[in-house]
Amino acid sequence: DARDLPWYLLVTGQSLDTQERWDWNAEETQQTTERELSYDPQGYLVELWQPESTGDVLLAEGSLFPTVSSTRSTVVVDLSNGGRLEILYSVEIGVGPEPSPPVVRKEVRLLEEAEQQRFLRALQRLMENQDGVQS
């Protein structure tokens, strides 16, 4: 039984650069710790690993495809070793930092005089050579 072994889950986003490691407390029959993960609309690769001194061993893997719902939902992940992993989750969209404003390219010759001067000062600052040649 996997609960008798020390093991951990790696949850990796399919389209996002996100990965979380969730360690299993072997004394508990189920994990009750809530964890936060960035929502990936293409789902996640879930891997079950056992740590060993010679290198960690992949025990099983499966795919998790959560649906957007503010209420708690349960999904069962079928693992490659024939086992099943039940995950209780909820998805919250729109929570987090404000996105950065878009960068707008402008033709320098068409800028107002004040904007042209600001650009020129920034360019001159970049060209300052305080630490010698090629610094």
Side-chain angles (χ1 to χ4, degrees), residues 45-111:
L45 173 64
V46 178
E47 298 172 308
L48 178 64
W49 289 85
Q50 179 182 0
E52 291 190 1
S53 60
T54 57
D56 296 356
V57 176
L58 178 64
L59 300 175
E61 63 185 357
S63 295
L64 168 63
F65 299 101
T67 56
V68 177
S69 172
S70 59
T71 60
R72 292 187 179 264
S73 303
T74 301
V75 65
V76 175
V77 177
D78 292 318
L79 299 172
S80 59
N81 68 351
R84 300 175 79 186
L85 181 65
E86 185 174 303
I87 298 176
L88 177 66
Y89 71 93
S90 64
V91 176
E92 294 181 26
I93 302 294
V95 176
E98 294 263 335
S100 300
V103 175
V104 178
R105 290 182 176 214
K106 296 182 179 180
E107 171 65 44
V108 174
R109 292 174 290 183
L110 301 177
L111 294 175

Side-chain angles (χ1 to χ4, degrees), residues 6-12 18-24 31 33 35-37 47 49-52 56:
W7 59 273
Y8 62 91
L9 285 176
L10 276 184
V11 182
T12 307
T18 184
Q19 184 177 68
E20 295 286 330
R21 176 180 168 146
W22 298 344
D23 291 301
W24 177 265
Q31 290 291 300
T33 305
R35 302 172 192 219
E36 192 171 300
L37 184 65
E47 298 172 308
W49 289 85
Q50 179 182 0
E52 291 190 1
D56 296 356

